[in-house]
Amino acid sequence: MLPEHCAPVPLEHAYRLMNHGPTVLVSATHGGCDNVMAAAWACVLDFAPDPKVTVVLDKATRTRELIEASGRFALQLPPRALLRLTVGVGTDSARSVPDKLQRHGVRLFCPPGYDVPLVQGCVGWILCERIPEPHNEQTYDLFIGRVRAAWADERVFRQGRWHLDTAPDELRTLHHVAGGAFIVAGPVVQG
Amino acid sequence: MLPEHCAPVPLEHAYRLMNHGPTVLVSATHGGCDNVMAAAWACVLDFAPDPKVTVVLDKATRTRELIEASGRFALQLPPRALLRLTVGVGTDSARSVPDKLQRHGVRLFCPPGYDVPLVQGCVGWILCERIPEPHNEQTYDLFIGRVRAAWADERVFRQGRWHLDTAPDELRTLHHVAGGAFIVAGPVVQG
């Protein structure tokens, strides 16, 4: 079941969720093991008709292993309300802290019809199928995902775009600066 | 000569300029022809010892041609003060508007020792050498650059990080939402 306020986003608008460069949480599952990590280096690669994203995943991460094994992952956007959770899952590794998800209060849900766990409390979710690119993955730690489905919190993203001007502070996206400090998405200007 | 307030950034801190997902201007030159375009899809790929970035460049763009011919380009961060310029160079193509740089008030400078033109009034500049990756470039329009030098406006970036909390609005970075609307970098929170 989808959480409250979580509404489907048409595939052609999925890239808009990440267009403004937010920090993401990366989630994956394989063999009954879920994991979530934080990543600042995620980006749109294409928007339509075949939307794609990139994300850089260090070889030391458990989440990368799960993605390599399952071929699926999700990128999702933590808002300010999930600041501590984001720093927590970005700092601890499941290799040394096996209960990191519980420790940092991560609650997962699976959208109907898919078997990738998503993080509750995020404001956007992008579910991807890995496009295997062994050279990129080995040389650059760069993974490419084909977007299969997307959802967003309709309080801040609807009709295919963000509406952050009227959003409560707690629902604004985070953009990592350094050392656990984040810039919060500010006002909108029209050029 | 470097513009006022423009100070070198050590290579190991160059990634911090783009960590928070700003929209960039891409500049390049070849055969006496300069060009500048806007790109929302640019990202850090690696930080040290060999810092790298990615940027998606459509095959229709003149800037991409210049990069393919010269092997060099720069990514730079336009602040709010350059909002109209950013939309202008992101909308017009040098193919149909040959004087687009003049039309949108783009003033260029070359940092000493390099022959890539940079845009005055930006708050960060990252000069790159293209790492040829024909498969990525042809299949995904994805270019990888090795960072060779970086500079920032010391009023907002110093000691290896952004100091946007005390920055005037005009110097805050832009993050493209859609259709010429941008989110301006907001307050900083510490996790």
Side-chain angles (χ1 to χ4, degrees):
Chain A
M1 212 179 87
L2 295 176
E4 197 182 6
H5 306 301
C6 172
V9 172
L11 276 194
E12 68 268 26
H13 290 151
Y15 80 97
R16 296 255 182 98
L17 290 168
M18 287 179 51
N19 221 29
H20 66 307
T23 292
V24 301
L25 301 179
V26 189
S27 60
T29 190
H30 183 67
C33 177
D34 300 328
N35 206 9
V36 179
M37 62 177 274
W41 302 349
C43 195
V44 181
L45 179 62
D46 202 356
F47 70 109
D50 188 16
K52 300 182 202 71
V53 295
T54 57
V55 61
V56 178
L57 301 169
D58 193 272
K59 292 181 183 69
T61 64
R62 182 85 179 108
T63 304
R64 173 172 170 158
E65 260 185 24
L66 300 177
I67 294 170
E68 288 172 331
S70 68
R72 283 186 293 278
F73 63 94
L75 304 183
Q76 50 237 299
L77 284 56
R80 184 169 172 164
L82 294 192
L83 173 63
R84 292 182 65 182
L85 180 155
T86 302
V87 173
V89 300
T91 305
D92 287 341
S93 168
R95 296 194 191 284
S96 47
V97 185
D99 65 341
K100 75 177 248 195
L101 298 190
Q102 294 76 356
R103 189 177 289 207
H104 297 295
V106 177
R107 292 169 303 139
L108 299 171
F109 69 100
C110 260
Y114 299 94
D115 61 350
V116 176
L118 306 182
V119 178
Q120 288 194 29
C122 283
V123 288
W125 300 265
I126 298 174
L127 196 146
C128 302
E129 172 188 286
R130 167 194 176 210
I131 298 178
E133 286 284 1
H135 168 67
N136 286 334
E137 294 167 0
Q138 289 307 311
T139 307
Y140 302 115
D141 292 338
L142 179 70
F143 284 70
I144 298 179
R146 174 173 285 119
V147 179
R148 285 306 193 190
W151 300 265
D153 186 316
E154 58 194 356
R155 290 172 295 175
V156 284
F157 187 99
R158 52 189 182 272
Q159 282 107 34
R161 63 183 292 176
W162 290 104
H163 295 271
L164 287 177
D165 257 357
T166 53
D169 275 358
E170 291 304 289
L171 295 183
R172 293 176 176 275
T173 52
L174 296 173
H175 304 251
H176 194 224
V177 180
F182 294 81
I183 290 172
V184 181
V188 176
V189 291
Q190 181 69 49
Chain B
M1 212 180 86
L2 295 175
E4 197 182 7
H5 306 302
C6 172
V9 171
L11 277 194
E12 69 268 26
H13 290 149
Y15 80 97
R16 295 255 182 98
L17 289 168
M18 288 179 52
N19 222 30
H20 66 307
T23 291
V24 301
L25 301 178
V26 189
S27 60
T29 190
H30 183 69
C33 177
D34 301 327
N35 206 10
V36 179
M37 62 178 273
W41 303 348
C43 194
V44 182
L45 180 62
D46 203 356
F47 70 109
D50 188 14
K52 299 181 203 72
V53 295
T54 57
V55 60
V56 177
L57 301 169
D58 193 272
K59 291 179 185 71
T61 65
R62 181 86 179 105
T63 304
R64 173 171 170 159
E65 260 184 26
L66 300 176
I67 294 170
E68 287 171 333
S70 68
R72 283 186 293 279
F73 63 94
L75 304 183
Q76 49 237 299
L77 284 55
R80 184 169 174 165
L82 295 191
L83 172 63
R84 291 182 67 181
L85 181 155
T86 302
V87 173
V89 300
T91 305
D92 286 343
S93 167
R95 296 194 192 282
S96 48
V97 185
D99 65 340
K100 74 177 249 194
L101 298 190
Q102 293 78 354
R103 190 176 289 209
H104 298 295
V106 177
R107 293 170 301 139
L108 299 171
F109 69 99
C110 259
Y114 298 93
D115 61 350
V116 176
L118 307 182
V119 178
Q120 288 194 32
C122 283
V123 290
W125 300 265
I126 298 176
L127 197 147
C128 301
E129 172 187 285
R130 167 194 174 210
I131 299 178
E133 287 283 2
H135 169 67
N136 286 335
E137 294 167 1
Q138 289 307 312
T139 307
Y140 302 115
D141 293 337
L142 179 70
F143 284 70
I144 297 180
R146 174 174 285 120
V147 179
R148 286 306 193 189
W151 299 266
D153 186 317
E154 57 194 357
R155 291 174 293 176
V156 283
F157 188 97
R158 51 189 184 273
Q159 283 106 34
R161 64 182 292 177
W162 290 103
H163 295 270
L164 287 177
D165 257 357
T166 53
D169 275 357
E170 291 305 288
L171 295 182
R172 293 175 177 275
T173 51
L174 296 173
H175 304 251
H176 195 223
V177 179
F182 293 82
I183 289 172
V184 181
V188 176
V189 292
Q190 181 70 49

